Amino acid sequence: ERKCQLSGLWRNDQDSLMEISVLRDNGDFQGQYLTRVTLSEGCALISPLRGAQQQLGEEGWPTFGFTVSWDKFSNATTTFVGQCFVDAGGKETLSTMWLLREAVGSLEEDWKATRVGRNVFTRK
Ligand SMILES: CN1C(=O)N(C)[C@H]2CS[C@@H](CCCCC(=O)O)[C@H]21
């Protein structure tokens, strides 16, 4: 089957689960993100995600981006950008960086509102 098509279930090193359920011909996708850790030590919850994946030929390892709206339990948003890789054994890896923006109460606090990190997903 085509490697690096994002549809399916992925897990990362924070033990989050990402399910990409809809992948359209133009590379648009939608899914859900289950996080087990949160900024406020809240409980695990599922939030919607939507993004776009480059649609390359057979050989390409596509780049992608997606946004998670943590709208169930916090006024925060995370965007991920990354690329899918396949190793010699056929194992797929999503190597990403993310920006997490949490809401702050005033413009004076804006400087401390965005976190950045690296994150790797593999198939669950
Ligand atoms: C679980 N996580 C995860 O799988 N990440 C790659 C990082 C970047 S998004 C963050 C969770 C933010 C939850 C929203 C909130 O606490 O307001 C953390």
Side-chain angles (χ1 to χ4, degrees), residues 11 13 28-29 34 36 39 43 48 55-56 58 65 72 86 89 99 101 109-110 112 114 117 120 122:
R11 193 177 61 79
D13 28 20
D28 289 358
F29 61 86
L34 166 69
R36 299 186 205 279
L39 288 169
C43 59
Q55 292 303 290
L56 308 171
E58 269 307 304
K72 294 283 180 306
V86 182
L99 293 169
R101 171 69 195 215
E109 298 169 275
D110 182 64
K112 62 181 178 180
T114 305
V120 175
T122 52

Side-chain angles (χ1 to χ4, degrees), residues 12 14 16 33 35 37-39 70 73-74 76 78 80 98 100 119:
N12 73 1
Q14 272 88 19
S16 296
Y33 200 99
T35 176
V37 293
T38 65
L39 288 169
W70 311 103
F73 60 100
S74 84
T78 299
F80 292 78
W98 51 264
L100 165 55
N119 212 244

Side-chain angles (χ1 to χ4, degrees), residues 19-86:
E19 183 200 25
I20 308 291
S21 47
V22 177
L23 179 59
R24 297 194 171 80
D25 293 351
N26 69 350
D28 289 358
F29 61 86
Q30 291 175 18
Q32 296 183 321
Y33 200 99
L34 166 69
T35 176
R36 299 186 205 279
V37 293
T38 65
L39 288 169
S40 57
E41 301 314 313
C43 59
L45 270 174
I46 292 179
S47 300
L49 70 88
R50 64 198 67 191
Q53 171 185 32
Q54 287 290 4
Q55 292 303 290
L56 308 171
E58 269 307 304
E59 291 318 303
W61 291 346
T63 59
F64 56 86
F66 62 90
T67 297
V68 186
S69 312
W70 311 103
D71 50 3
K72 294 283 180 306
F73 60 100
S74 84
N75 180 3
T77 303
T78 299
T79 61
F80 292 78
V81 63
Q83 185 177 1
C84 183
F85 296 98
V86 182

